[in-house]
Amino acid sequence: MAWATSLDKAIGRKAIHLNKDESVKAILLALLLLLTAAFSIREHDPPAALSPSAPAEVFSAGRAIQHLSAIAEKPRPMGSAAHHAVQEYLLKHLSGAGLESQVQTAVALARNVSEPMKINTVQNVVGRLRGTAGGKAVLLIAHYDSLMNSFGASDNGASIASLLETLRALKTGPPLQNDVIFLFTDGEEEGMLGARAFVTEHRWMEDVGVALNFDARGNTGPVFMFETSENNGWLIDQFAKASPYPVAHSLSYELYQLLPNDTDLTLFKKAGLPGLNFANIDGIEHYHGPLDNLQVVDPDTIQHRGSYVLALTRQFGDQDLNQARQKNEVYFDLFGGFLVHYSNVWVFPLTLLLFALFVAVVVIGARNNRLTIPGIVVGFVSLLISLVVTSLLSWLLWKTMWMIRPGPSSAATQSRLLMFGFAALAIAVTVAVYTFVRDRATVESLAVGSLAWWVLLMIFISIFLPGATFIFHWPLLFMLLGLGWTMFSPPNKSNGLRNFIVLGVCALPAIILMAPVIYQIFVGLTLNFAFLIVALLVLLFGLLIPQLRLIATPFKWMLPGAAAAAAAVLLVAGVVSNAIPAHKPSNRIFYALNTDTGKANWASDLSQPDERSSRLFGGATEKGTLADFAYKQKSREYTFSAAPVAQLQAPQLSVVEDKTLDGVRTLKMRLSSPREAGLIAVYVDSAVQVLSASVNNTSITEEPKDQWGVQIDGFPKQGVELQMQVRTSEPLKLRLVDQSYGLPSLNGASASAQTATETPDLTLLVKSFTL
């Protein structure tokens, strides 16, 4: 029996050797896929910023940031002093560069505001760089207002600075054929008011041939070209030729159309103009809040944005813009350096080709006895179970985290730890499902069952979202070729080196295309859509069933177990890291001065006092309301403390014309704010019927109310003209309230500088008039 014992030992040694070989190949394949995914994502990072000493003809983020230091020094909501200062800064640089520059002033009635009425005075800053041919113009758009609680460094100061640096670079070279219009819109944060005013009222609108809009939702990351106008074929062709670092795909174009979001470009698209939309979307915790400041601006992101602005302006500046419409295209970038694009007319031919290839693979597999119908069904159901379980688990886990996490919500939605945790969860569930069924069907049957889902989704997407088909067409093509190869290989060599290489190579296109797209969807839609992100990951894993088998077989249940453990660790770490309480914002403080009575008060909600409010409210306090400063004299209750009377000039009203005919009194008045407050409210405090009203000849008449009132935001320094027609037998009593950000200087010292906080301080002055 010695020979038998020796044979058993030899077989055992060979089995151990084979297991080691399989383990090594599994690890190598896993590393190949992971490193390819990491590389393809990493290559989409923005280019390195150039210093201020870069050659004059190129865009330099270092030079742009010099502009940004002046632009984003303070919050600049409409009508604020900082807003006016940036407006003057823009005019100075446009005029200094020799452009025909102007301020477009318009009045916009805010929609969906019940009471009081609210109107905005919009002040767009516009400059025109003349070309040599005088054809259609290239329009560059960036809004220059910010929210009152944000310095607006990234949103949208970085875009303003990029346009100014682009202007400087353009002036160093030969003039372009087409004119270039620089449009710095006002009131974007209030509802794209400046863009609407330019589209409907400005005489240069009819000269525009193409519009490029630049915005931001966050402080870092690559700048995406995420939206185009319809019939974008010619635009995409020019974009591909000119952009040195293109980051774009037509899936974002399809998804954005399904979202309720709007930007300034929305108005130009509705007006029928061709255009492209750009924004960086990473660092969402630095969006629309105090953290959007100079200290956290990413110079590389500015460099990427500037590379678009300058290159595309030069490209479109020398093109015939009358041909800017061709059939939509499918497009996607490779490694952030090259754009692949082709007409939508190829979508259905490619879909039919791949469907035919899928059928051919199934026929070949059936003839070679590599497929069974029950096995295909198992594969089909297994992917469905993986999709449902992972999506449901992710949704439940995210909802649970949202309820228990006390930290800042915006930071958590883009947490990389949580994202990798959900990815590990997707791996754990998918590999566990297929490990469970691996002995119930051949790997080829399981793969065909999973690919059936891909074919069905490909057909659906081809019909309803043609721009998204690239993430189905090209990965599916290579995987069908790889699976077809395995159908011809002998079953006993399915784990051979040749199959290993072929399957590894065929997996790369799917990883290269889908890894960045899934990551970008995570950054764009955030973990609020965790269920969608993990569903896309599971679909990717379903495409790679042969590769997953090679990776998982040597380890059996160890791989899903390790992935589940990693998911638990990452998710817990993500929750803990985002559970640090956010910095508590300081209390909003009002300085309320009634110029009729000569009394001033501090007012604030002191339910949670802080150091600053404790200092200002150190004396006697009482409860009260800001009724004199409010619509219908209704106000919530605040804590009051007497304040020194600041030397501030009250809002002014002067009667320009006053006449009465048939019981209807028509008043034309001039309203102004000597201290240049950003908002003035006008309230009627007498029993009158307001028949009509207008501000700067823009009608603001609405349905009759118990009390008439209007708030004028973005109040211009030169004031406005208010005209009213009223029916009354008694004097007309008007109450003017002006409002500015920050607190006044008292006794030579400012109570608070104008800074960006969650709830900025306000100074309110009221003055009454009887006419």
Side-chain angles (χ1 to χ4, degrees):
M1 298 292 291
W3 65 270
T5 303
S6 299
L7 180 61
D8 288 342
K9 289 181 179 179
I11 293 173
R13 284 194 298 270
K14 185 175 182 181
I16 292 171
H17 178 70
L18 288 174
N19 285 337
K20 286 183 178 179
D21 284 349
E22 290 182 2
S23 298
V24 169
K25 286 192 292 185
I27 292 171
L28 288 176
L29 182 56
L31 286 175
L32 173 67
L33 300 184
L34 288 173
L35 291 176
T36 301
F39 178 78
S40 60
I41 293 171
R42 173 67 178 80
E43 285 302 293
H44 286 80
D45 284 354
L50 297 181
S51 71
S53 60
E57 69 275 10
V58 303
F59 182 96
S60 161
R63 288 190 288 255
I65 288 174
Q66 293 173 354
H67 289 298
L68 187 58
S69 298
I71 293 166
E73 183 181 1
K74 297 177 180 178
R76 49 187 188 281
M78 292 180 67
S80 65
H83 181 269
H84 292 309
V86 171
Q87 184 185 115
E88 294 296 328
Y89 184 89
L90 294 173
L91 284 171
K92 173 186 172 182
H93 282 273
L94 293 177
S95 300
L99 274 65
E100 180 184 346
S101 57
Q102 59 185 246
V103 175
Q104 178 200 6
T105 300
V107 175
L109 179 63
R111 307 298 177 187
N112 302 321
V113 178
S114 55
E115 50 183 40
M117 290 180 291
K118 184 176 181 180
I119 65 171
N120 301 83
T121 54
V122 175
Q123 295 183 307
N124 293 329
V125 180
V126 194
R128 187 162 186 163
L129 179 63
R130 295 289 179 178
T132 59
K136 288 289 187 178
V138 180
L139 178 66
L140 305 178
I141 311 162
H143 72 88
Y144 76 98
D145 61 312
S146 77
L147 291 179
M148 65 180 179
N149 66 337
S150 173
F151 291 97
S154 294
D155 178 25
N156 195 31
S159 296
I160 303 169
S162 296
L163 264 61
L164 292 177
E165 167 62 5
T166 294
L167 171 59
R168 183 210 57 77
L170 290 174
K171 295 289 289 185
T172 65
L176 302 173
Q177 294 180 22
N178 299 322
D179 293 359
V180 180
I181 298 174
F182 292 80
L183 171 60
F184 301 97
T185 58
D186 194 9
E188 191 271 350
E189 302 290 4
E190 297 291 334
M192 304 162 293
L193 303 177
R196 182 176 289 108
F198 186 88
V199 167
T200 58
E201 300 181 25
H202 203 286
R203 59 188 176 87
W204 287 351
M205 175 62 185
E206 63 184 20
D207 299 333
V208 177
V210 64
L212 308 177
N213 183 59
F214 298 88
D215 211 330
R217 193 211 66 181
N219 71 312
T220 189
V223 176
F224 289 91
M225 193 284 287
F226 65 94
E227 183 190 15
T228 76
S229 54
E230 279 291 330
N231 299 312
N232 61 27
W234 186 83
L235 289 174
I236 295 301
D237 184 56
Q238 300 303 309
F239 174 78
K241 290 176 181 177
S243 300
Y245 312 103
V247 178
H249 52 72
S250 45
L251 172 61
S252 69
Y253 165 78
E254 299 286 5
L255 289 178
Y256 195 77
Q257 293 187 100
L258 303 177
L259 298 174
N261 304 355
D262 290 317
T263 67
D264 279 344
L265 187 68
T266 304
L267 280 303
F268 293 92
K269 285 178 59 179
K270 289 181 178 178
L273 275 180
L276 303 174
N277 215 351
F278 300 81
N280 60 288
I281 55 176
D282 206 351
I284 196 171
E285 67 270 25
H286 300 282
Y287 176 60
H288 281 184
L291 294 180
D292 184 6
N293 53 52
L294 283 167
Q295 288 70 39
V296 298
V297 168
D298 187 345
D300 294 349
T301 297
I302 294 179
Q303 186 67 42
H304 195 194
R305 179 182 288 104
S307 73
Y308 285 128
V309 185
L310 183 56
L312 291 172
T313 302
R314 285 174 171 160
Q315 181 72 20
F316 287 120
D318 285 330
Q319 300 295 318
D320 178 6
L321 299 182
N322 290 305
Q323 60 174 347
R325 292 175 179 83
Q326 291 178 6
K327 189 171 180 61
N328 278 353
E329 289 199 338
V330 177
Y331 54 92
F332 55 91
D333 71 86
L334 293 176
F335 305 112
F338 176 75
L339 194 79
V340 178
H341 60 104
Y342 48 89
S343 173
N344 272 12
V345 299
W346 288 103
V347 167
F348 280 106
L350 283 170
T351 297
L352 292 173
L353 173 64
L354 287 168
F355 180 77
L357 184 58
F358 174 75
V359 172
V361 168
V362 172
V363 170
I364 293 170
R367 287 182 176 178
N368 292 343
N369 296 319
R370 305 293 288 273
L371 299 177
T372 64
I373 292 177
I376 293 173
V377 172
V378 169
F380 187 85
V381 173
S382 296
L383 185 57
L384 177 61
I385 291 173
S386 301
L387 282 167
V388 172
V389 172
T390 51
S391 297
L392 184 60
L393 275 177
S394 299
W395 182 81
L396 289 173
L397 284 170
W398 178 244
K399 291 298 181 182
T400 303
M401 293 174 195
W402 190 264
M403 290 187 291
I404 66 174
R405 179 190 41 74
S409 60
S410 59
T413 61
Q414 286 186 339
S415 166
R416 269 53 176 180
L417 283 174
L418 292 175
M419 187 270 291
F420 287 129
F422 284 118
L425 176 66
I427 293 172
V429 172
T430 306
V431 175
V433 169
Y434 280 95
T435 299
F436 179 76
V437 301
R438 67 182 175 183
D439 294 330
R440 292 167 172 79
T442 64
V443 65
E444 293 86 359
S445 295
L446 294 175
V448 167
S450 293
L451 293 184
W453 277 108
W454 274 75
V455 172
L456 291 174
L457 288 171
M458 175 187 67
I459 295 171
F460 178 86
I461 294 296
S462 298
I463 297 171
F464 296 103
L465 298 172
T469 50
F470 71 92
I471 62 172
F472 289 90
H473 282 158
W474 304 111
L476 186 57
L477 170 64
F478 282 89
M479 278 310 304
L480 286 172
L481 293 175
L483 187 59
W485 168 275
T486 64
M487 297 295 188
F488 287 108
S489 302
N492 60 345
K493 293 186 177 181
S494 60
N495 290 344
L497 180 61
R498 189 175 297 178
N499 273 5
F500 168 80
I501 293 173
V502 169
L503 290 175
V505 170
C506 289
L508 294 183
I511 299 295
I512 291 169
L513 276 179
M514 292 195 67
V517 168
I518 293 173
Y519 183 79
Q520 290 159 9
I521 289 174
F522 151 69
V523 173
L525 297 182
T526 73
L527 289 174
N528 290 315
F529 288 83
F531 65 93
L532 174 61
I533 296 165
V534 298
L536 290 171
L537 282 170
V538 172
L539 274 177
L540 175 59
F541 300 151
L543 183 73
L544 305 177
I545 291 301
Q547 291 83 352
L548 288 182
R549 174 188 176 265
L550 287 175
I551 294 171
T553 295
F555 307 105
K556 299 182 180 179
W557 287 97
M558 289 177 59
L559 181 57
V569 171
L570 289 167
L571 292 174
V572 170
V575 171
V576 171
S577 66
N578 284 283
I580 301 172
H583 173 69
K584 179 182 177 296
S586 58
N587 291 321
R588 165 180 277 184
I589 295 176
F590 297 90
Y591 177 82
L593 173 59
N594 189 323
T595 62
D596 297 326
T597 63
K599 292 182 179 180
N601 285 289
W602 303 116
S604 185
D605 179 1
L606 297 185
S607 55
Q608 293 182 325
D610 56 28
E611 180 181 352
R612 190 176 64 122
S613 58
S614 298
R615 175 170 51 85
L616 291 177
F617 290 79
T621 61
E622 61 180 2
K623 296 292 185 179
T625 68
L626 291 169
D628 291 342
F629 303 84
Y631 179 63
K632 292 187 178 180
Q633 296 188 316
K634 293 180 180 179
S635 166
R636 58 173 293 189
E637 189 174 68
Y638 294 97
T639 298
F640 275 74
S641 179
V645 176
Q647 299 303 307
L648 299 174
Q649 289 185 275
Q652 298 297 312
L653 180 153
S654 60
V655 178
V656 178
E657 185 178 286
D658 186 354
K659 58 184 181 181
T660 302
L661 180 65
D662 297 330
V664 176
R665 187 181 181 188
T666 302
L667 282 160
K668 186 180 294 185
M669 298 161 282
R670 191 76 191 170
L671 310 182
S672 62
S673 173
R675 67 189 190 93
E676 298 183 2
L679 183 148
I680 280 189
V682 183
Y683 303 127
V684 175
D685 287 337
S686 53
V688 302
Q689 180 185 1
V690 178
L691 303 177
S692 66
S694 64
V695 172
N696 286 353
N697 297 318
T698 298
S699 175
I700 56 172
T701 303
E702 289 195 349
E703 294 297 322
K705 298 178 180 178
D706 296 338
Q707 182 188 24
W708 188 91
V710 61
Q711 292 181 350
I712 307 171
D713 202 356
F715 195 82
K717 291 191 293 185
Q718 66 271 24
V720 301
E721 183 179 275
L722 171 65
Q723 182 168 309
M724 299 177 65
Q725 283 192 326
V726 299
R727 191 185 300 277
T728 180
S729 58
E730 60 181 75
L732 177 64
K733 295 180 181 180
L734 298 179
R735 179 163 41 97
L736 268 60
V737 180
D738 72 2
Q739 169 187 303
S740 60
Y741 298 103
L743 302 179
S745 297
L746 300 170
N747 301 322
S750 176
S752 78
Q754 185 189 3
T755 58
T757 61
E758 291 295 341
T759 51
D761 300 329
L762 295 175
T763 294
L764 306 171
L765 270 67
V766 64
K767 184 174 180 61
S768 299
F769 297 85
T770 301
L771 307 175

